[in-house]
Amino acid sequence: MTVTFEQIVALPKVLLHDHLDGGVRPATVVDLAAEAGHELPTTDPEALAAWFAERADSGSLEAYLETFVHTAGVMQTADALRRVAREAVLDLAADGVVYAEERFAPELHQARGLSLQQAVDAVREGLAEGEAEAAAGGRTIRTALLLCAMRDSDRADEVAALALANRDRGVVGFDVAGPESGFPATAMAAAFAQLRKARFPVTVHAGEAAGRDSLDDAVDVGALRLGHGIRVMDDVTTSPDGTHRLGRLAHWVRDRRIALEVCPTSNVQTGGAPSIAAHPVTALLRLGFAVTVNTDNRLQSRTGLSRELHLLVTEAGWTPDDLRTVTVTAARHAFLHEDERTDLIDRVILPGHAPTAPGRHRA
């Protein structure tokens, strides 16, 4: 059964891995740069969008990350953060997303004097404005916030404390982002101990540019989800007859239902996968891992969640049941309370599938 792009847009979807500074509208980057006196490669929005995509297509995570000089660089005031957050919600709602966890690193938005808390407050206000505006336009979307600590800085303890201080004010999780190689998550042991003691959810970027060691580190610090996580396939052996044998790490990730926040287009851009057709996400799904599909950075990948899912349909042979599975899995692994997750799952069950009883969803 063929699923069209328009049909996928119409489906209610859940997004767990979307960076705020990777989803800015090109025209907004131009406007904010003019206000801040920030020099851009071009001030034509369409040409700028193409520049971001071309730079992101480098095949290197490090080169990919360099593009954020021009997004984070113009998001240094409360007004700028509010605008970007509000527009992100509107864009996601237009794409059929009904629940999204937006993530950002407050420490990257202090160049013009904002405190960490002021940065969080501005983003929260923008998300709320976007939700209200989307609802007024007939689209209901709920958003939550994840706070990122950067691997290559020493502020993880601060960011963990900030996340806990805002846990009842829209912040639902903690993340570690930035270059994987040379910056193990276990180096932030004190921050993770603080979060574990407070029973606060954690996701970690791992298994994107680095392999087994990065994933082991993420599991060791208690990650409930893995940002990308596709290199778990390094611990899966495929026999000539097509059968698979999982190693201990792969078994642990699958058996414990540690969700994989897979971002197909982004992974191809950074060299983590050769193509959408040959992306490990399909094998991981078939092997029974808790796979979710995400956007990562909508600006750099010129994408949206509907586009990511449609690419998997057209290039990797995914079926409507596959779309249902990853959508329900995303709802199942949202950093929400169980009753809220159950309500969300019931909302995203695709047409033709009756919702199951609470606690009985397959994911």
Side-chain angles (χ1 to χ4, degrees), residues 224-244:
L224 300 177
R225 302 191 322 230
L226 299 171
H228 303 281
I230 57 174
R231 293 288 297 277
V232 73
M233 283 299 293
D234 292 357
D235 200 40
V236 178
T237 302
T238 304
S239 301
D241 63 359
T243 59
H244 301 279

Side-chain angles (χ1 to χ4, degrees), residues 116-130:
L116 294 177
Q117 185 60 57
Q118 286 171 331
V120 172
D121 289 342
V123 172
R124 287 178 52 253
E125 290 166 9
L127 295 178
E129 290 171 5

Side-chain angles (χ1 to χ4, degrees), residues 321-338:
D321 280 344
D322 293 331
L323 302 186
R324 173 184 183 272
T325 296
V326 296
T327 301
V328 173
T329 298
R332 174 81 271 164
H333 289 86
F335 285 161
L336 299 172
H337 296 306
E338 177 62 20

Side-chain angles (χ1 to χ4, degrees), residues 235-311:
D235 200 40
V236 178
T237 302
T238 304
S239 301
D241 63 359
T243 59
H244 301 279
R245 183 173 63 82
L246 276 63
R248 290 185 177 179
L249 171 64
H251 267 305
W252 184 266
V253 171
R254 189 178 70 170
D255 295 349
R256 298 294 175 269
R257 313 309 295 154
I258 300 174
L260 307 178
E261 303 166 355
V262 182
C263 308
T265 298
S266 175
N267 297 152
V268 173
Q269 288 178 304
T270 60
S275 65
I276 298 297
H279 195 291
V281 65
T282 302
L284 291 165
L285 180 64
R286 303 288 176 250
L287 287 168
F289 285 85
V291 169
T292 70
V293 175
N294 302 275
T295 53
D296 201 13
N297 299 293
R298 289 172 286 113
L299 172 61
Q300 282 80 354
S301 295
R302 301 192 90 169
T303 198
L305 186 52
S306 294
R307 178 180 179 273
E308 295 294 310
L309 294 171
H310 189 246
L311 285 171

Side-chain angles (χ1 to χ4, degrees), residues 10-252:
L11 296 175
K13 294 175 289 295
V14 176
L15 180 58
L16 301 181
H17 191 123
D18 189 72
H19 289 270
L20 187 67
D21 57 353
V24 193
R25 295 174 180 174
T28 297
V29 177
V30 172
D31 287 350
L32 296 178
E35 294 172 9
H38 179 94
E39 186 175 350
L40 296 172
T42 173
T43 57
D44 176 81
E46 194 54 42
L48 184 62
W51 179 89
F52 274 107
E54 288 165 7
R55 289 290 298 161
D57 279 338
S58 64
S60 159
L61 177 60
E62 288 73 20
Y64 182 97
L65 293 175
E66 290 174 5
T67 62
F68 291 89
V69 169
H70 297 299
T71 54
V74 302
M75 296 166 60
Q76 297 297 329
T77 67
D79 285 345
L81 286 169
R82 271 194 299 270
R83 175 176 174 177
V84 170
R86 177 180 63 82
E87 292 176 351
V89 176
L90 294 174
D91 293 343
L92 294 175
D95 193 35
V97 175
V98 297
Y99 176 77
E101 291 180 0
E102 281 292 302
R103 62 185 70 191
F104 87 118
E107 63 189 273
L108 298 181
H109 303 277
Q110 295 190 281
R112 295 183 63 180
L114 288 179
S115 68
L116 294 177
Q117 185 60 57
Q118 286 171 331
V120 172
D121 289 342
V123 172
R124 287 178 52 253
E125 290 166 9
L127 295 178
E129 290 171 5
E131 289 180 12
E133 190 171 338
R139 295 184 179 275
T140 301
I141 181 172
R142 177 181 178 182
T143 59
L145 195 56
L146 305 182
L147 301 189
C148 301
M150 302 306 295
R151 290 179 183 270
D152 50 351
S153 77
D154 59 356
R155 304 187 67 180
D157 292 355
E158 277 184 273
V159 178
L162 182 70
L164 294 177
N166 288 275
R167 71 183 306 171
D168 297 319
R169 303 172 64 237
V171 176
V172 298
F174 174 87
D175 178 34
V176 175
E180 282 184 71
S181 298
F183 299 97
T186 46
M188 301 176 175
F192 287 110
Q194 180 184 173
L195 296 160
R196 185 164 52 251
K197 184 175 181 180
R199 305 291 184 262
F200 194 70
V202 168
T203 181
V204 174
H205 279 71
E208 178 187 14
R212 171 68 185 261
D213 289 347
S214 176
L215 289 162
D216 272 326
D217 278 340
V219 170
D220 287 346
V221 300
L224 300 177
R225 302 191 322 230
L226 299 171
H228 303 281
I230 57 174
R231 293 288 297 277
V232 73
M233 283 299 293
D234 292 357
D235 200 40
V236 178
T237 302
T238 304
S239 301
D241 63 359
T243 59
H244 301 279
R245 183 173 63 82
L246 276 63
R248 290 185 177 179
L249 171 64
H251 267 305
W252 184 266

